[in-house]
Amino acid sequence: MDSAELELLTATLRKTMTTTPSGPALDTALTELGWRELLAEYPESAIRTVFGLLGETGAHASSLNDVMGGGTPALPYAGGAWVVWSPTGPGTALDPELPLRTVPSGRSLPVSAGRRALGWWLVGTGHAMLTLARTHALDRVQFGRPLASFQAVRHRLAETLVALEGAEATLIAATDPLGSLLAKAAAGEAALTAARHCQQVLGGIGFTAEHPLHRHLRRALVLDGLLGSARELTREAGARLRAEGSAPRLVHL
């Protein structure tokens, strides 16, 4: 897939996600656009594009089930819990906007591709929060000056961008299970950094249900726990490196 084709696909997907209701309707729309065929032929481009846009637009679809092999597999969640991505069925929903339901147990599955997908979703969510905070900082005037002119505000926005771009670089470099684990951890940490800084930049309005930030913030918190939270994955990586006594080269520069 060349750059022109990818650009056209991205524009089409973005329009679809912003005009189609999340859930079954969006699942159908993505299927009609050839999401599964794209995943089979160009897996990394498909994952990066679709899940990044899910984060940026605030939409949700069951695409993660496709990445995990199809069906509705039980997925590990933070704290030793298990969940399924299903709009119906027993179990407690983790979030009113996401069809993630708790189940008693599950079986071990290959999770590397799923972690990369969630990583791009988290990065996209972080960029959505950064856009909201940046727009507010440019439009809001305090003490006769735009909020964006204050150094403390600019530092928070800059730190958010650096964290998100660092997570993107880690996701691009991830080619094996350890790299995918570290990339998901970096993306989760970046999204949580974005949530913290952007809420501070937005001030009081960022704590209200009237502003869209709270939806992205909640999405970041829920997605961070899926297939291992940033904290758990960091501990797991550290334990693995201690046990092996060395750190593998993840990127060849």
Side-chain angles (χ1 to χ4, degrees), residues 122-134 152-168 186-202 213:
L122 284 160
V123 166
T125 299
H127 277 296
M129 290 188 281
L130 179 58
T131 297
L132 290 171
R134 180 179 178 275
V153 171
R154 297 169 71 145
H155 280 178
R156 286 188 180 276
L157 296 178
E159 288 175 13
T160 299
L161 180 60
V162 168
L164 292 171
E165 290 190 343
E168 287 180 6
E189 187 61 37
L192 297 178
T193 296
R196 184 171 61 255
H197 285 329
C198 293
Q199 192 169 61
Q200 288 295 316
V201 169
L202 283 159
L213 179 76

Side-chain angles (χ1 to χ4, degrees), residues 23-69:
L26 184 54
D27 289 338
T28 300
L30 291 176
T31 298
E32 292 174 351
L33 286 172
W35 148 247
R36 291 190 178 92
E37 292 78 8
L38 185 67
L39 178 64
E41 191 169 357
Y42 305 102
E44 294 309 316
S45 294
I47 287 173
R48 177 177 182 176
T49 304
V50 169
F51 286 90
L53 288 172
L54 285 174
E56 290 179 20
T57 60
H60 69 77
S62 63
S63 307
L64 183 63
N65 286 341
D66 298 321
V67 173
M68 295 296 295

